[in-house]
């Protein structure tokens, strides 16, 4: 009978297994596990080997050494077991993504959200993705008939994004920029798009003015934020909408519609929220 991760943890760590996180991220055939500092010893290699042996679809086990960090939003990873590589192919909603998890940000946890945004796209819509990574939002949007200006500051992200465009046959519907998103807007995209996606909570508020600049007379901006709350998700949604509305009101644009949803929990009482804002530029827009 196949063992669960909890079974394997018990076999290898005994009583210490209570400290083991009983789930892992799977990207393609790579499992990324976390092991708390207090039980970080040589047993982790055996743990990795047992994971490879037990889960047929896992060929590589890596340990997350650091949280996602730096401007490229990459996590430090240690090799534990299986094939010695960090590249894989991840499948989502009928698309394929070739990624190096040690060089480019990638998470399977945004899968539903990427599908949601793609489902909003109308044929021929022009979209700006300000923080594209290896291209998952962009490629789903392009597969739905959108035309995407896709930006990332990490050269590796753009390299994999380029390959992914070809893998998914959308290279004629995507223009790639390896640059800072603010500069791309200022130099190339003022009033050029119908929709902007901003999947980087750490920069979203500071870059909101560039998103607004890129929108034609009217359009939609999807702003991702991390919001702390005390009472529950309703509070997080209300807070997120207020923050975005306040910031947008500084640019003299009319807000026609605002809605929001919790994308996922990212820490204790901290939610990632997406605020969808439809805006119309008034004649006083600055
Ligand atoms: C959270 S990741 C993007 C996730 C991606 N959309 C996905 O679904 O996998 C944020 C990305 O923004 C990029 N980035 C950070 N600062 C940037 C900037 N100023 N301009 C453009 N891209 C930036 C990082 O390199 C990183 O790839």
């Amino acid at each position: 009978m196949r063992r669960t991760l909890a079974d394997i943890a018990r076999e290898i760590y005994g009583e210490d297994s209570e400290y083991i996180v009983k789930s892992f991220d799977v990207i393609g055939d790579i499992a990324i596990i976390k092991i708390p500092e207090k039980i970080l010893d040589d047993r982790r290699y055996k743990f990795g080997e047992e994971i490879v042996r037990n889960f047929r679809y896992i060929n590589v086990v890596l340990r997350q050494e650091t949280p996602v960090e730096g401007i490229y939003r990459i996590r430090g990873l240690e090799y534990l077991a299986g094939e010695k590589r960090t590249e894989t192919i991840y499948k989502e909603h009928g698309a394929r993504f070739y990624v190096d998890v040690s060089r480019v940000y990638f998470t399977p946890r945004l899968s539903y959200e990427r599908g949601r945004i793609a489902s909003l796209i109308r044929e021929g819509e022009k979209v700006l993705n300000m923080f594209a990574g290896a291209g998952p939002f962009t490629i789903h949007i392009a597969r739905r008939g959108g035309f995407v200006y896709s930006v990332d500051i990490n050269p590796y992200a753009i390299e994999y994004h380029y390959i992914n465009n070809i893998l998914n046959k959308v290279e004629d519907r995507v223009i790639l920029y390896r640059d800072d998103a603010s500069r791309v807007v200022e130099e190339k995209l003022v009033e050029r798009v119908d929709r902007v996606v901003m999947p980087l909570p750490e920069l979203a508020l500071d870059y909101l003015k560039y998103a607004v600049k890129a929108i034609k007379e009217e359009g939609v901006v999807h702003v991702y934020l991390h919001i702390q709350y005390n009472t529950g998700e309703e509070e997080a949604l209300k807070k997120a909408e207020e923050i975005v509305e306040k910031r947008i009101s500084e640019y003299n644009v009319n807000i026609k519609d605002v809605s929001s949803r919790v994308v996922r929990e990212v820490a204790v009482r901290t939610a990632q929220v997406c605020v969808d804002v439809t805006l119309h530029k008034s004649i006083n827009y600055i």
Side-chain angles (χ1 to χ4, degrees):
M1 206 180 67
R2 178 141 298 138
R3 294 168 295 164
T4 64
L5 191 66
D7 293 334
I8 300 173
R10 257 193 314 276
E11 283 165 28
I12 290 168
Y13 285 93
E15 282 182 4
D16 285 344
S17 68
E18 67 174 286
Y19 302 116
I20 294 277
V21 182
K22 302 292 187 310
S23 65
F24 47 67
D25 265 2
V26 179
I27 303 176
D29 65 349
I30 298 181
I32 301 179
I33 65 171
K34 287 184 185 165
I35 299 180
E37 203 66 43
K38 59 161 58 166
I39 55 164
L40 191 57
D41 52 37
D42 283 352
R43 290 178 292 181
R44 66 188 186 276
Y45 302 109
K46 178 85 181 138
F47 188 44
E49 279 164 22
E50 288 303 316
I51 290 172
V52 173
R53 206 195 314 272
N54 191 67
F55 296 95
R56 249 181 313 135
Y57 55 93
I58 300 296
N59 293 316
V60 181
V61 179
L62 306 173
R63 178 179 72 84
Q64 181 166 336
E65 276 182 319
T66 69
V68 166
E69 59 191 5
I71 56 169
Y72 297 165
R73 312 306 298 148
I74 295 169
R75 45 190 167 181
L77 295 166
E78 180 198 24
Y79 167 80
L80 290 189
E83 293 169 28
K84 217 160 186 175
R85 60 175 157 83
T86 48
E87 285 181 319
T88 188
I89 294 207
Y90 167 81
K91 295 181 186 144
E92 181 180 281
H93 310 311
R96 288 182 303 156
F97 301 99
Y98 181 48
V99 282
D100 183 331
V101 294
S102 70
R103 290 180 154 163
V104 178
Y105 177 93
F106 204 89
T107 179
R109 292 172 195 234
L110 290 175
S111 168
Y112 177 85
E113 180 61 13
R114 295 191 279 247
R116 182 184 78 90
I117 297 293
S119 75
L120 303 173
I121 303 300
R122 285 168 283 115
E123 178 74 35
E125 218 181 86
K126 290 215 164 64
V127 180
L128 163 63
N129 182 355
M130 293 177 90
F131 310 112
F137 272 100
T138 294
I139 286 166
H140 289 314
I141 291 169
R143 278 164 53 94
R144 295 292 289 240
F147 184 91
V148 193
Y149 302 100
S150 205
V151 187
D152 204 287
I153 203 162
N154 175 355
Y156 289 113
I158 293 300
E159 224 170 84
Y160 285 92
H161 197 331
Y162 178 81
I163 296 167
N164 289 328
N165 292 348
I166 295 167
L167 261 182
N168 293 285
K169 303 189 173 60
V170 295
E171 62 271 36
D172 57 343
R173 308 194 66 79
V174 178
I175 297 184
L176 293 177
Y177 298 98
R178 208 293 300 167
D179 207 339
D180 186 304
S182 65
R183 192 158 54 203
V184 174
V185 170
E186 292 284 19
E187 291 180 0
K188 310 216 165 13
L189 295 177
V190 175
E191 309 217 329
R192 294 283 297 280
V193 305
D194 304 289
R195 188 183 297 274
V196 180
V197 188
M198 308 184 74
L200 178 55
E202 291 76 6
L203 277 192
L205 279 182
D206 286 345
Y207 276 50
L208 194 50
K209 60 174 175 291
Y210 301 105
V212 173
K213 263 193 175 176
I215 291 282
K216 296 173 182 168
E217 190 181 358
E218 186 167 316
V220 182
V221 182
H222 303 282
V223 191
Y224 293 85
L225 297 175
H226 288 162
I227 303 287
Q228 289 188 335
Y229 61 86
N230 296 312
T231 55
E233 292 187 344
E234 282 306 313
E235 179 198 338
L237 296 177
K238 188 161 173 280
K239 249 184 171 176
E241 289 186 16
E242 281 170 6
I243 290 170
V244 171
E245 282 181 280
K246 182 162 178 289
R247 186 59 73 101
I248 285 189
S249 70
E250 292 168 15
Y251 314 132
N252 267 330
V253 291
N254 300 318
I255 295 176
K256 288 185 70 183
D257 188 47
V258 182
S259 61
S260 57
R261 67 176 291 269
V262 170
V263 176
R264 55 181 174 149
E265 292 293 316
V266 287
V268 179
R269 293 199 179 149
T270 309
Q272 183 175 114
V273 173
C274 180
V275 183
D276 301 339
V277 198
T278 306
L279 52 88
H280 184 96
K281 290 183 175 168
S282 67
I283 42 172
N284 300 323
Y285 167 67
I286 39 156

